[in-house]
């Protein structure tokens, strides 16, 4: 009897690449949040990011996922701009 070595939930290539993009975005967001000087703000932003990503973890609609990635990228750019202004 032949058994498959693949896990039960195998992603398509498109899903896999999208998942990698989301994970990279999450890492970038956490890395940028580490640069926030105030401890309370940093903790708030870290919790916010974690909650947002966890809340949308089971999303399966590809269009909705693309929209969420775009929104997250916009939030990340806004945060980076705010940090740059604060440092200058």
């Amino acid at each position: 009897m032949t058994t498959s070595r693949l896990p039960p939930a195998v992603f398509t290539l498109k899903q896999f690449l999208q998942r990698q993009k989301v994970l990279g975005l999450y890492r970038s967001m956490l890395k940028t949040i580490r640069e926030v000087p105030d401890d309370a703000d940093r903790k708030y932003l870290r919790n916010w990011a974690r909650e947002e990503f966890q809340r949308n973890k089971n999303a399966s609609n590809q269009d909705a996922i693309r929209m969420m990635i775009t929104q997250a990228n916009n939030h990340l750019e806004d945060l980076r701009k705010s940090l740059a202004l604060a440092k200058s």
Side-chain angles (χ1 to χ4, degrees):
M1 182 184 282
T2 310
T3 58
S4 175
R5 290 183 169 188
L6 296 174
V10 176
F11 295 122
T12 65
L13 177 61
K14 191 173 190 177
Q15 290 170 327
F16 175 79
L17 293 174
Q18 198 167 46
R19 183 175 187 272
Q20 294 304 100
K21 187 182 290 188
V22 169
L23 291 173
L25 182 58
Y26 182 66
R27 287 185 202 107
S28 295
M29 193 159 292
L30 290 179
K31 184 177 178 183
T32 303
I33 288 171
R34 275 189 238 130
E35 297 175 20
V36 173
D38 184 56
D39 287 340
D41 289 341
R42 190 171 45 248
K43 184 176 180 180
Y44 171 79
L45 288 170
R46 188 174 44 241
N47 288 336
W48 170 79
R50 183 179 297 126
E51 288 171 7
E52 285 296 310
F53 278 85
Q54 284 179 348
R55 186 167 53 92
N56 296 306
K57 173 175 142 174
N58 295 320
S60 58
N61 183 333
Q62 296 298 314
D63 292 332
I65 294 171
R66 276 196 297 273
M67 182 188 71
M68 288 184 267
I69 289 172
T70 302
Q71 287 176 340
N73 275 319
N74 290 340
H75 287 303
L76 181 59
E77 286 305 310
D78 289 344
L79 179 59
R80 286 178 175 161
K81 286 177 186 177
S82 296
L83 286 171
L85 285 173
K87 290 179 182 177
S88 61

